[in-house]
């Protein structure tokens, strides 16, 4: 009889609690813990209280995490998860929720099924290379100093929708420009292999495309593990999983995505989002009138997937919306980098009124209701199961959100997503996740790498990055962007 991802057996099933199915869907990390299902009204009130009280003040910035990592996190999420089920009020069996992405850090959101199966992602006359799109002739702010028709947009169909392995990477301009950077990263590696400047080891029997793809994926995996996670996780929890192994994320042959990860712990990025970005010299923060600032709203509107902004709907992006990466990652000491917001239970105002979604349109409320519908356990019960000291009632009771938590006894048992953000605020001082959130992310990410026979962690655990880097033998997002070389295509003036 088929077993499910740690979901309690149905009536009549003679199966021990906690067994896992051999599929690649969603499942439970803590199958023995009871679901925490408070009232919808109480979760709605808590979500409404999770507002950033001062979204534009430097006090709320996380100086550990430049703003670009918020969207690297989104890019990674699109690589490993895609849940198409609707928000529901009733409990949902996670096994019934299909994951339409492979639960691996394999960049299938970039490569799709390869040039033979999805040739429209690649150059027709040279399928080793990705297609690259050009920007529009008309700048969005009408700035005549910005060059036009630059090779800095996603490839697009005649309808102008992006030709992507995952269409969600055209939802906002930052993640779209990040996807483009990875396309160019692959193409530059192909060029290096061909001219001999890049020499992968033990790859003489592989095609250029396969060699390049492997190098891209392994350097990407390295970035996720040693540049991204080390910034946002409790170092002790990450090191414990790397050296002593996983204790809680268990599977047989095929990994799954735990709902405790996808619906709670990895939604930390929603707290990191800014309301306004210093995007480039045209859309800056603070703005230079008459040009607008790089608001979160504009970053979503100026895309073909979701764009409905006047003359710029359903066209390639305007040239002056090309990103200045120096403002998102610490690349140039002479350019002020922007930072993500602190990891805490506060979201900026634009996320309180999401456009084009059914009610509720508050992202915080939607996250809390999603956790309820999937029967997530409380944060305190997960902490106790992990043999960690849960947050105290006094620690949860702080702030306007804490007052609502007390009203509904959430200071005793809290929704998991809220608990993880509160834990980050208390234990990580807003710089990193706390113990529970860090452990969930560390176990899942390392587990996904360990389950992938083609990952560097399995195939070659002593491997070190071979591409040029500030510190040879390592590799960061800054190194990737410098290698691609197009840090600020529209220039400083």
């Amino acid at each position: 009889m088929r077993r499910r991802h740690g979901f309690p057996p149905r009536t009549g099933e003679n199966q021990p609690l906690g067994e896992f199915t051999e599929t690649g869907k969603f499942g439970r990390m803590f199958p023995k813990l009871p679901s925490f299902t408070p009232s919808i009204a109480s979760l709605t009130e808590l979500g409404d209280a999770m507002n950033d009280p001062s979204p534009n003040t430097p006090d709320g910035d996380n100086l550990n995490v430049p703003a670009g990592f918020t969207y690297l996190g989104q890019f990674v999420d699109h690589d490993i998860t895609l849940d198409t089920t609707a928000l529901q009020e009733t409990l949902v069996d996670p096994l019934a929720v299909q994951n339409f992405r492979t639960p691996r850090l394999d960049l299938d959101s970039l490569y799709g099924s390869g040039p033979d199966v999805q040739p429209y992602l690649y150059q027709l006359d040279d399928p080793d290379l990705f297609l690259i799109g050009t920007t529009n002739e008309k700048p969005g702010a009408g700035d005549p100093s910005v060059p036009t028709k630059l090779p800095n947009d996603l490839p697009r169909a005649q309808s102008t929708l992006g030709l992507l392995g995952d269409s969600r990477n055209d939802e906002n301009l930052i993640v779209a420009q990040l996807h483009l950077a990875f396309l160019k990263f692959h193409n530059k590696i192909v060029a290096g292999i061909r001219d001999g400047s890049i020499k992968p080891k033990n790859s003489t029997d592989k095609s250029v495309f396969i060699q390049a793809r492997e190098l891209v994926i392994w350097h990407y995996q390295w970035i996720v593990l040693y540049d991204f996670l080390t910034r946002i996780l409790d170092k002790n929890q990450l090191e414990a999983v790397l050296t002593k192994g996983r204790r809680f994320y268990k599977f047989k042959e095929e990994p799954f995505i735990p709902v405790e990860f996808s619906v709670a712990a990895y939604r930390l990025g929603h707290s990191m989002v800014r309301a306004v970005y210093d995007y480039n010299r045209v859309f800056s923060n603070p703005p230079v009138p008459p040009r607008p600032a790089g608001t979160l709203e504009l970053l979503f509107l100026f895309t073909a997937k979701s764009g409905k902004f006047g003359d710029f709907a359903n066209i390639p992006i305007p040239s002056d919306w090309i990103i200045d990466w120096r403002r998102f990652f610490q690349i140039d000491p002479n350019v002020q980098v922007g930072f993500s917001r602190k990891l805490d239970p506060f979201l900026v105002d634009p996320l309180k009124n999401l456009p084009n979604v059914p009610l509720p349109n508050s992202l915080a409320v939607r996250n809390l209701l999603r956790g309820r519908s999937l029967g997530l356990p409380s944060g305190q019960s997960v902490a106790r199961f992990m043999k960690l000291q849960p947050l105290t009632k006094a620690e949860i009771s702080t702030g306007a959100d804490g007052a609502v938590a007390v009203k509904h006894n959430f200071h005793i048992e809290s929704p998991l997503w809220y608990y993880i953000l509160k834990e980050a605020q208390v234990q990580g001082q807003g710089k990193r996740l706390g113990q529970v959130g860090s452990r969930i992310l560390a176990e899942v990410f390392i587990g996904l790498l360990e389950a992938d026979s083609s990952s560097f962690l399995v195939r070659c655990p002593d491997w070190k990055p071979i591409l040029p880097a500030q510190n040879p033998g390592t590799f960061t997002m800054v190194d990737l962007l410098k290698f691609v070389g197009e840090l600020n295509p529209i220039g400083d003036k």
Side-chain angles (χ1 to χ4, degrees):
M1 185 177 292
R2 189 183 221 180
R3 294 188 173 103
R4 300 179 290 160
H5 283 317
F7 204 72
R10 294 188 175 97
T11 303
E13 289 185 359
N14 185 22
Q15 296 177 9
L17 192 67
E19 290 292 325
F20 298 94
T21 188
E22 297 180 6
T23 69
K25 297 184 180 181
F26 289 90
R28 295 197 188 283
M29 195 171 183
F30 306 103
K32 296 184 179 181
L33 295 181
S35 300
F36 182 58
T37 55
S39 71
I40 292 172
S42 65
L43 293 175
T44 299
E45 187 172 356
L46 177 63
D48 286 340
M50 295 175 67
N51 249 5
D52 191 331
S54 50
N56 297 313
T57 60
D59 289 346
D61 288 349
N62 184 354
L63 304 185
N64 262 14
V65 185
F69 285 100
T70 306
Y71 297 90
L72 176 62
Q74 184 182 15
F75 180 83
V76 172
D77 177 59
H78 294 173
D79 183 31
I80 60 177
T81 65
L82 176 55
D83 169 12
T84 61
T85 57
L87 181 67
Q88 302 179 47
E89 296 181 359
T90 56
L91 287 177
V92 178
D93 182 341
L95 186 59
V97 180
Q98 176 69 50
N99 183 15
F100 287 87
R101 289 253 75 86
T102 58
R104 290 182 173 85
L105 292 160
D106 60 0
L107 287 176
D108 60 338
S109 59
L110 193 75
Y111 288 98
S113 299
D116 291 336
V117 179
Q118 292 181 287
Y120 51 84
L121 299 178
Y122 301 86
Q123 295 183 21
L124 184 61
D125 58 347
D126 191 350
D128 285 347
L129 300 174
F130 281 112
L131 279 173
I132 303 295
T134 57
T135 54
N136 198 313
E137 293 184 24
K138 184 177 180 181
D143 187 335
S145 70
V146 177
T148 59
K149 295 192 76 66
L150 297 172
N152 287 92
D153 192 15
L154 296 171
R156 299 190 181 278
Q158 188 171 1
S159 66
T160 70
L161 289 176
L163 297 172
L164 308 174
D166 190 318
S167 64
R168 294 174 298 169
N169 284 349
D170 198 17
E171 283 179 347
N172 68 70
L173 281 170
I174 301 177
V175 76
Q177 292 282 283
L178 189 62
H179 187 106
L180 176 66
F182 273 90
L183 297 179
K184 292 187 174 186
F185 183 48
H186 168 91
N187 286 0
K188 188 147 188 182
I189 289 178
V190 168
I193 293 172
R194 287 174 172 175
D195 67 21
S197 61
I198 297 175
K199 299 178 180 179
K201 294 181 180 179
N202 304 319
S203 298
T204 54
D205 59 333
K206 299 176 182 177
S207 69
V208 170
F209 176 81
I210 294 300
Q211 292 180 62
R213 178 177 178 273
E214 183 175 275
L215 276 182
V216 169
I217 291 173
W218 282 16
H219 283 80
Y220 159 71
Q221 291 173 345
W222 186 279
I223 288 170
V224 172
L225 190 55
Y226 295 115
D227 192 17
F228 178 54
L229 293 182
T230 55
R231 291 174 184 272
I232 62 172
L233 301 191
D234 177 287
K235 293 181 180 179
N236 291 332
Q237 295 299 326
L238 180 59
E239 188 64 25
V241 179
L242 282 169
T243 57
K244 300 178 182 178
R246 292 173 281 118
R247 293 173 52 203
F248 307 108
Y249 177 45
K250 300 177 182 179
F251 49 86
K252 289 188 175 178
E253 295 181 8
E254 290 295 324
F256 65 96
I257 298 295
V259 287
E260 297 90 340
F261 169 90
S262 64
V263 183
Y266 202 53
R267 298 201 178 194
L268 82 162
H270 296 163
S271 174
M272 298 165 66
V273 172
R274 303 189 65 86
V276 182
Y277 288 91
D278 187 20
Y279 188 81
N280 60 22
R281 69 174 171 88
V282 178
F283 299 95
S284 57
N285 185 29
V288 179
R291 302 164 182 163
T295 64
L296 188 63
E297 180 185 23
L298 288 179
L299 292 173
F300 275 85
L301 288 176
F302 268 104
T303 63
K305 181 174 173 60
S306 57
K308 296 180 180 178
F309 193 80
D311 293 337
F312 299 102
N314 298 322
I315 60 173
I317 69 166
S319 291
D320 56 9
W321 270 115
I322 300 170
I323 200 166
D324 180 351
W325 285 120
R326 304 170 306 167
R327 302 175 188 229
F328 287 85
F329 293 96
Q330 291 168 314
I331 295 172
D332 185 341
N334 297 315
V335 177
Q336 177 62 51
V337 68
F339 293 98
S340 64
R341 298 297 284 173
K342 285 182 177 178
L343 292 164
D344 55 30
F346 306 128
L347 277 64
V348 294
D349 271 347
L351 301 180
K352 190 175 182 179
N353 294 291
L354 298 174
N356 306 317
V357 299
L359 294 175
N361 59 355
S362 160
L363 184 57
V365 173
R366 292 177 69 84
N367 285 346
L368 292 168
L369 294 183
R370 187 67 172 161
R372 180 186 188 275
S373 72
L374 286 164
L376 296 186
S378 72
Q380 288 86 346
S381 67
V382 173
R384 291 189 292 267
F385 188 84
M386 288 182 165
K387 304 291 193 262
L388 299 171
Q389 182 65 44
L391 295 179
T392 65
K393 296 176 184 178
E395 287 171 332
I396 292 179
S397 301
T398 58
D401 59 296
V404 176
V406 170
K407 177 180 176 181
H408 297 290
N409 289 323
F410 292 151
H411 61 316
I412 300 172
E413 297 291 333
S414 309
L416 183 57
W417 177 63
Y418 172 74
Y419 180 91
I420 285 170
L421 292 180
K422 196 74 176 181
E423 186 188 55
Q425 182 186 40
V426 172
Q427 295 180 352
Q429 290 76 53
K431 299 176 181 178
R432 301 176 185 273
L433 289 180
Q435 293 177 316
V436 169
S438 294
R439 188 71 187 212
I440 292 174
L441 261 61
E443 295 229 352
V444 172
F445 274 111
I446 293 170
L448 294 180
L449 289 171
E450 291 175 339
D452 182 358
S453 61
S454 64
S455 75
F456 83 85
L457 209 57
V458 173
R459 187 182 296 178
C460 191
D462 296 325
W463 176 81
K464 302 292 183 185
I466 67 169
L467 295 178
Q470 182 174 346
N471 296 307
T474 67
F475 203 71
T476 66
M477 270 305 301
V478 168
D479 294 323
L480 184 151
L481 292 167
K482 284 184 174 180
F483 178 78
V484 171
E486 298 179 4
L487 302 177
N488 180 32
I490 69 170
D492 289 318
K493 59 181 179 179

